[in-house]
Each structure stands twice: as structure tokens, then as C-alpha cells.
Amino acid sequence: MSEARECLAEGAVPIGGATLVWATWQRDGFPERAVSLRELPEANVVGRETVGGAVVLHRIDERVPDVLRLAAATVGTGAVRRTATVGGNIVGSTLRCLLPAALVLDARATVLEPGGVREADLAEVVAKRPVLLSLRWRTPVASAYRKLPGEPGGAPPLVVASALHAGHGTPRRVRVAVRDGYEVLSGIAPGDADADEILDALRGTALGDLPADAWDVVRPQVAALTESRDGDRRDR
Ligand SMILES: Cc1cc2nc3c(=O)[nH]c(=O)nc-3n(C[C@H](O)[C@H](O)[C@H](O)COP(=O)(O)OP(=O)(O)OC[C@H]3O[C@@H](n4cnc5c(N)ncnc54)[C@H](O)[C@@H]3O)c2cc1C
């Protein structure tokens, strides 16, 4: 970790799998220094409630919530997923298929700076692009992810991610995040209501601006989350 910090202090550029930067570097020249987190244990964790920034997408499996596993599985091709990293996707790419999943998990980021390690929220990670060491979240009761098929070279396909969180001394919450074009919108609604009431509450958030076809994808996801919630209640 101290070596990585030293590299950053000396102006090294963070590098994940180089799937995005390689072509640019070949064309425009390589940076004097680059730093990879590949050998850093803290950046390579995969667990129920955490994933490291250097984890390659194809290592993201059923240990993590469905929403994140499915998001990783739909990025690019198998060859891309064997090389591209969580940090490169969330911080460094424009598509950021993992971002809606991370948002509905209400993930917190741990970022690495020359001065040390600190926590940051996802809005800051996207805006300021610090070095992402890892993400951490609380396991949701249920979660879902859907990416619509896209045209090669066309607009980014619509992505809808959602999760139902159990209250830890607070009421349940439903979080939904949608990538529409390159924009990612998200909203929170009370999770104890019925599906129609949850959808109404979500329409009152930033998601209210979404086009009708996006709501066609949001609606069944919210219905499925409430069904899992009711199944969960019956099992107790
Ligand atoms: C053919 C193809 C298809 C793709 N399809 C999709 C898709 O469907 N959905 C999608 O979301 N993405 C897609 N991508 C983008 C892919 O996810 C990115 O290549 C990947 O996100 C970049 O990861 P990387 O580890 O290779 O990053 P790199 O190329 O190494 O770096 C990219 C940028 O991220 C920065 N960076 C890298 N790691 C970190 C870190 N830990 N912290 C901070 N900054 C960091 C680098 O400094 C650089 O600016 C596709 C890419 C390709 C080549």
C-alpha cells in the first residue's frame, strides 16, 4: 500500500486491465509512470459485502449480490471481462455498467490517495475519479439487474438495477438506478408499501424524468422485489 501511495505521489496514472487506455497510449505515447493495484490484497477482495477495485469482472460470482454479479456478466465480451477491472469500469469508463448496481447497493468506496486511504461516496468517485481501492455494502434482501440488448455502435442500452434493503432499525427501502443513455439516475422509496405505491414514490424522485419504455423495465423489477419481501416475511 505504501508503495502504491508513493507512486501516486509521484504522479503515476492508475491502470486496471488497460482495455481502454492501451490503444490511446499506443497512439499518443505512454505515461512516464503507471500504477496497478493488481498485487495489492486490499484491491483484490471478493466477498458477500465487498469487491476490490482491481478485481477483473469475470471473478465477480455468486458471492456478491445478484445485481452486481449480473451487471459484471453483461459487460462487453468474455475477453473484456477477463481483463477489465471494477475500478476501470466505475471510475474510468463512460458506460459504467457496474455503477447502477453499486448505487442500488448503496455502496461506499474506499479510495487511495498519496496521503492515505479514506471513504468516499459514489457521487464523489464519479465526479473526482480518485483511485478506487474497494467497494463495500450491506447485503440486500433481494436485488435485480437488466440490461436491454444494444445495437453495435448504437446508443448505450438501457440498464435497470434495483435492490430491496432490510431496515437495520429503520423501515425497508427500495433503491432503483437506471442508466439512460450515458446518464445514471437513481431513486429511493419506502420498501414496506405495495408495488404500485413504491412505483408512485419512485416517480417523485429523479427517476420521474425517465421515458415510458424505461418504466416498462422498472415495473416488473419492483413487483419481483416486493414478492421476495413477502416471501421473506412468510418464511420468518
Ligand atoms: C470491446 C469492449 C466492450 C465493452 N463493453 C462494455 C459494456 O458493455 N459496459 C461497460 O460498462 N463497459 C464496457 N466496456 C468498457 C470496459 O468495462 C472497460 O474497458 C473497463 O471498464 C476499463 O477497465 P480497465 O480495468 O481495463 O481500465 P483501464 O483501461 O486500465 O483504465 C481505464 C481508465 O480507468 C482508470 N482506472 C483504472 N483502474 C482504476 C482504479 N482502480 N481507480 C481509479 N481509476 C482507475 C485509468 O486511469 C483509466 O483512466 C467495454 C470495453 C471494450 C474494450
Side-chain angles (χ1 to χ4, degrees):
M1 192 83 96
S2 58
E3 249 179 280
R5 279 168 47 192
E6 234 170 80
C7 289
L8 293 175
E10 288 164 5
V13 180
I15 183 169
T19 58
L20 287 184
V21 292
W22 192 255
T24 318
W25 287 358
Q26 275 192 317
R27 191 189 60 216
D28 300 341
F30 284 77
E32 207 140 286
R33 266 168 177 260
V35 58
S36 161
L37 307 181
R38 198 168 50 186
E39 305 289 327
L40 208 58
E42 293 85 342
N44 279 288
V45 285
V46 183
R48 271 182 68 230
E49 301 198 326
T50 186
V51 69
V55 168
V56 293
L57 303 183
H58 91 133
R59 281 190 58 214
I60 298 182
D61 56 19
E62 58 288 333
R63 283 171 286 182
V64 306
D66 288 350
V67 66
L68 187 59
R69 178 178 57 79
L70 295 168
T74 61
V75 169
T77 58
V80 169
R81 293 192 292 275
R82 280 191 291 278
T83 317
T85 63
V86 170
N89 186 274
I90 290 187
V91 187
S93 87
T94 48
L95 286 176
R96 297 192 162 112
C97 278
L98 298 192
L99 181 62
L103 281 169
V104 300
L105 290 174
D106 196 20
R108 297 277 302 163
T110 303
V111 301
L112 181 66
E113 292 175 335
V117 166
R118 68 176 177 88
E119 286 232 327
D121 63 27
L122 290 170
E124 184 190 344
V125 167
V126 170
K128 298 193 183 154
R129 304 183 54 166
V131 176
L132 181 69
L133 200 55
S134 60
L135 292 174
R136 185 170 292 282
W137 58 82
R138 282 217 173 122
T139 303
V141 176
S143 63
Y145 185 90
R146 183 158 173 224
K147 180 175 175 179
L148 296 189
E151 298 294 321
L158 185 88
V159 162
V160 175
S162 59
L164 171 72
H165 291 268
H168 296 272
T170 53
R172 288 187 180 85
R173 294 161 329 280
V174 168
R175 289 178 183 269
V176 175
V178 177
R179 187 188 71 199
D180 181 31
Y182 288 99
E183 204 180 0
V184 179
L185 304 170
S186 62
I188 311 176
D192 285 310
D194 68 31
D196 285 340
E197 288 167 333
I198 293 173
L199 287 163
D200 280 347
L202 290 171
R203 281 195 190 90
T205 69
L207 299 173
D209 294 334
L210 286 172
D213 55 344
W215 285 101
D216 291 343
V217 185
V218 172
R219 219 174 290 116
Q221 273 194 25
V222 168
L225 289 181
T226 57
E227 277 166 29
S228 340
R229 174 198 66 195
D230 299 341
D232 189 46
R233 273 183 187 152
R234 277 195 297 276
D235 292 344
R236 283 173 192 216

